[in-house]
Amino acid sequence: MFPLSSLIRCHRHSHSRHYLLLHRLLKPFSSIATHPQAPPSSPLGDVPLSFPTYLICSSNTSVGKTLVSAGLAASFLLSSDFHPNKFLYLKPVQTGFPSDSDSRFVFSKLSSLASRRKIACSLLASDEVLQASRSAAAVTLPAGLAEDCKFGMFDLGSYTECRVLGEEGSAASELICRTMFAWKEAVSPHLAAERENGVVEDSTVLEVLQRCLLEAGLAKQNMNMFSVVETAGGVASPGPSGTLQCDLYRPLRLPAILVGDGRLGGISGTISAYESLKVRGYDVVAVVIEDHGLVNEVPLSSYFRKRVPVLVLPSIPQDPSNDLMEWFDDACVVFDSLFKIMLSAYSERIRRLHDMPKKAGNVIWWPFTQHKLVPEGGVTVIDSRCGENFAVFKVRNNEVITQQFDACASWWTQGPDATLQTELARDMGYAAARFGHVMFPENVYEPALECAELLLEGVGKGWASRTYFSDNGSTAIEIALKMAFRKFSSDDGSLSNFLSDDSTQRRAQLMVLALNGSYHGDTLGAMEAQAPSAYTGFLQQPWYTGRGLFLDPPTVFLCNNIWNISLPEGLLSHSLNSDEITFSSRSEVFELSRDKSNLAEIYSSHISNALTQNPESVGIIGALILEPVIQGAGGMLMVDPLFQRVLVNECRNRKIPIIFDEVFTGFWRLGIESAAELLYCVPDIACFAKLMTGGIVPLAATLATSAVFDSFLEDSKLKALLHGHSYSAHAMGCTAAAKSIKWFKDPQTNGNITSEGKLLKELWDEKLVSQISSHPAVQRVVALGTLCALELRAEGSNAGYGSMYASSLLKKLREDGIYTRPLGNVIYFMCGPCTSPEICRQHESDVAERSQLAKYPRTYGPDSTALIWPSGNEVGILSLGLLLYLASVFFRRGIGDLVFQEFQSERFDLGI
Ligand SMILES: Cc1ncc(COP(=O)(O)O)c(C=O)c1O
């Protein structure tokens, strides 16, 4: 049945390919494939999930990773199964090359094992080396070929192939072994790369790796496929750029097999490696160790509490002349078990990912969501987050994990890049391990104290003296209201009246001065302080009365490349010079010199009138509450900073305590640590949450002046602020906040901090923003700090929070790798304070080309006038094009084809 002896035929193509690739050899790879500072947030493409891919990593070097890879390949390819299989072995980083080559080892061992064992299917094995440093290439290339270039990586293109015949006429299984990048010195990759002038950026390693997986997946045809990616050294050994490998490969979050250490000292090393992987969000599916007679598997199994299986391989012969064939035969049972564990973990993962949308639809009640409008296919399954990107499970032709830039900054909370995320995870783990949770009143512990001090030195600098911790933005607001009302009552004497006369009447009359379009949270008290809106109506909150005097604010926006002030109805009757309400740059809007303008006086008397005309019977204004500069949930409305400053001054003159709600605007959201600085005035009380912890865990703080604090100081406990939450000042939150506050403002860790340290660099491309503002489909644009928002021109039910105007368009954007969620017809993009502006700027040439929005009509007809006055469907179509275009700039996508396709296929869909 089987051929008498398996026939082995091997071909080496390496030298012939050298000549074919001569033109590329002369061009150092690094100069074409890497950038000195590749944007960390650039999303990767799809990573296939239609076959299992595992990361093979180890607690240290030389513990047998490559033997495990080869053993798994043997289990998969050399079973008696007649079905041809395909095994992809990838070694992204190889040092000690060419004398050491793990891909060659797997290739040659599998070829030998295949000819030794009776195989049903033939085996076609190949080994390829893609890129090598000059020193490594010089060893394998003909003399002189690698001499010309002094740095960079060479396209080596060495290729070896071998066929082992199985049963006659049988189909062939395939083993593809591939080394991606190789260096000569047998030292840590970062050192070899540096010494051999061949540094490869992390983004290049990931891109090549992702491409190898994707291509192999596409070419797998009907074969079962399995793949492993073998790391170099231990889990925390540096990669070629110096990034630890456990961080380098994290965006792919491949499930891991940890090859542990069976030697003396190996228990500790194995557990440390496991914890390094877990704290970075990896799933470790199994641990494998070599038997050194020390029974390390017993304590390891006990540590893993049987959740992670520990498998033991027979002792590996030390004699270098041993070809290990017998060892592989002996270890076969262990590899077969390991292989089964890996297959079943993979199937389980895929099953869970497939099932989640349906299950979620059955058991979860999402916030701000009309469930009737969410089909099962509309649910986004987020497998993980790495820095600014979601890793999302998708079923296209096959299952993939695809990266989506989180342009909502996960509901305005997120700040960390991938590095800070790892640091925060570790520090929070430390805090949880050190403190768990401890109750707060009359207690102190380091994270709470450090965080309080950092807040007062930072966002509270110059005015605040106390930090009150709670756990979310809404509660921070409720606390602020309690503080403000006490301060007001104690200043105006009503507190002492109340104490002498227990007049509850007076208490009920206190209300806030606030702005229409404001939002301060969803708890009942916080809602009372905000203006009537879609969030507060009878449908949502029948108890809502709106205890406030709500003024219409003048808003600011960019339209046709001019910054305009739109005055509310009550102010329209005033005649104003155009230079008072139009500005050629955003910075002019913020200028303090505007205080002397006619408009400042108009604002002042308007506010004064409103305050004096407010009848006391309606209520006494006991606090001013406002969101400095930007009203987020109200539709990303920019309020004229001059108006807010005048408002603050008017209230201060009347001893009305001032609350700044910086839950959204705080911590660099608007390009400055505290948005109060943009107003050039300070509050008495301010609320912070969201970005304060980097957005990784909930925590809120209400900061107050000493005068506010003093209004609660009395002998009686009953006059203290009798308010608190179970998780007040929890240690993990305070630790995360302390870390993030320092990280965001330090130019060493945040490349976006300008030299003066007060502002973020301009993150959005100003030219492009102004071009968008001139587009007829766009009503207004606001770009400030990490926020870029635009309102689509819409009328009737297409406008406002309930509008579904942008929904199909956003679906498209999500398919294109950008996760957005609109506020009705307002679409916004939000990045973190550390997100690199290069993401936009690297594509400045794309921008220049695409900024000719006039090109668009070519896609739907020669009559370009359609662009100038679009209506109906055309607005939708143009909006889609515009957003894709905008997104392309932010996220480095070649948008030309995309826009063209979208226009072709979606033009009639989008009359939303
Ligand atoms: C300005 C403002 N205040 C308060 C809140 C409420 O914060 P949380 O959702 O943490 O309760 C929000 C939430 O978006 C907000 O934007």
Side-chain angles (χ1 to χ4, degrees), residues 436-498:
H437 173 55
V438 290
M439 79 177 288
F440 194 44
E442 296 174 58
N443 297 333
V444 69
Y445 34 93
E446 271 179 0
L449 184 58
E450 188 190 10
C451 183
E453 286 175 339
L454 282 165
L455 287 166
L456 298 177
E457 285 159 18
V459 288
K461 191 168 181 173
W463 65 273
S465 72
R466 295 283 166 172
T467 300
Y468 194 99
F469 287 112
S470 60
D471 43 26
N472 63 65
S474 310
T475 55
I477 295 289
E478 303 220 347
I479 292 157
L481 290 171
K482 290 184 182 180
M483 289 176 176
F485 291 149
R486 169 69 68 87
K487 173 76 173 81
F488 178 80
S489 318
S490 83
D491 283 353
D492 90 333
S494 52
L495 184 63
S496 32
N497 292 346
F498 166 76

Side-chain angles (χ1 to χ4, degrees), residues 271-340:
I271 291 172
S272 303
Y274 173 81
E275 295 194 342
S276 293
L277 290 170
K278 285 305 269 188
V279 83
R280 286 170 173 80
Y282 286 96
D283 295 328
V284 179
V285 169
V287 172
V288 195
I289 57 169
E290 181 197 345
D291 185 4
H292 282 270
L294 297 174
V295 227
N296 282 4
E297 66 274 19
V298 173
L300 283 173
S301 297
S302 148
Y303 167 79
F304 291 123
R305 296 187 204 284
K306 312 231 178 306
R307 281 189 309 259
V308 182
V310 181
L311 292 92
V312 184
L313 290 166
S315 278
I316 300 161
Q318 293 307 302
D319 177 2
S321 65
N322 188 315
D323 68 0
L324 298 176
M325 290 297 111
E326 280 177 19
W327 181 85
F328 273 110
D329 288 346
D330 290 349
C332 190
V333 197
V334 182
F335 285 127
D336 284 349
S337 313
L338 176 61
F339 187 72
K340 280 194 189 119

Side-chain angles (χ1 to χ4, degrees), residues 368 411-413 471-477 518-523 526 530 625-628 630-634 661-665 687 689-690 698-700:
F368 286 101
W411 258 1
W412 319 349
T413 61
D471 43 26
N472 63 65
S474 310
T475 55
I477 295 289
S518 56
Y519 174 84
H520 302 295
D522 290 336
T523 55
Q530 68 205 34
I625 180 164
L626 55 85
E627 296 153 87
I630 299 276
Q631 294 183 324
D661 176 355
E662 291 231 45
V663 171
F664 170 59
T665 60
C687 306
K690 296 192 189 279
L699 184 79

Side-chain angles (χ1 to χ4, degrees), residues 339-407:
F339 187 72
K340 280 194 189 119
I341 291 167
M342 292 162 85
L343 265 188
S344 107
Y346 164 75
S347 316
E348 178 59 17
R349 181 182 182 204
I350 296 291
R351 191 188 58 72
R352 277 197 319 270
L353 289 167
H354 271 289
D355 287 354
M356 274 203 278
K358 189 171 173 42
K359 284 190 175 171
N362 289 338
V363 301
I364 285 171
W365 191 339
W366 284 296
F368 286 101
T369 299
Q370 175 50 267
H371 276 241
K372 274 209 148 183
L373 301 177
V374 185
E376 202 177 301
V379 179
T380 302
V381 179
I382 301 176
D383 185 59
S384 74
R385 172 185 196 99
C386 185
E388 292 95 331
N389 300 320
F390 291 155
V392 169
F393 173 65
K394 282 254 172 232
V395 184
R396 303 194 204 278
N397 290 335
N398 279 312
E399 294 98 341
V400 293
I401 291 285
T402 191
Q403 308 278 318
Q404 286 183 347
F405 184 91
D406 174 10

Side-chain angles (χ1 to χ4, degrees), residues 74-207:
S75 279
F76 185 54
L77 294 173
L78 309 183
S79 69
S80 55
D81 194 341
F82 283 82
H83 189 79
N85 291 331
K86 186 170 188 165
F87 191 95
L88 175 65
Y89 168 88
L90 292 172
K91 180 82 181 179
V93 170
Q94 174 74 59
T95 56
F97 184 82
S99 41
D100 283 346
S101 168
D102 293 343
S103 68
R104 191 177 61 225
F105 179 89
V106 174
F107 164 79
S108 66
K109 289 300 165 207
L110 258 287
S111 305
S112 309
L113 280 168
S115 60
R116 177 185 161 90
R117 294 181 193 171
K118 290 179 172 180
I119 52 171
C121 289
S122 299
L123 178 70
L124 178 62
S126 63
D127 177 35
E128 194 172 5
V129 184
L130 303 182
Q131 306 275 330
S133 68
R134 188 186 70 89
S135 327
V139 183
T140 55
L141 289 177
L145 207 56
E147 292 304 310
D148 289 351
C149 293
K150 295 281 174 263
F151 62 89
M153 299 295 281
F154 292 81
D155 190 346
L156 197 65
S158 107
Y159 182 81
T160 311
E161 191 179 277
C162 172
R163 183 182 285 271
V164 183
L165 296 183
E167 195 177 335
E168 212 173 316
S170 64
S173 287
E174 274 182 60
L175 170 70
I176 300 168
C177 299
R178 194 169 285 159
T179 298
M180 285 165 36
F181 300 98
W183 293 264
K184 185 167 175 238
E185 257 197 285
V187 291
S188 172
H190 76 287
L191 196 58
E194 190 190 310
R195 286 184 180 167
E196 294 169 37
N197 285 323
V199 173
V200 178
E201 294 297 331
D202 298 347
S203 53
T204 307
V205 175
L206 288 180
E207 270 166 39

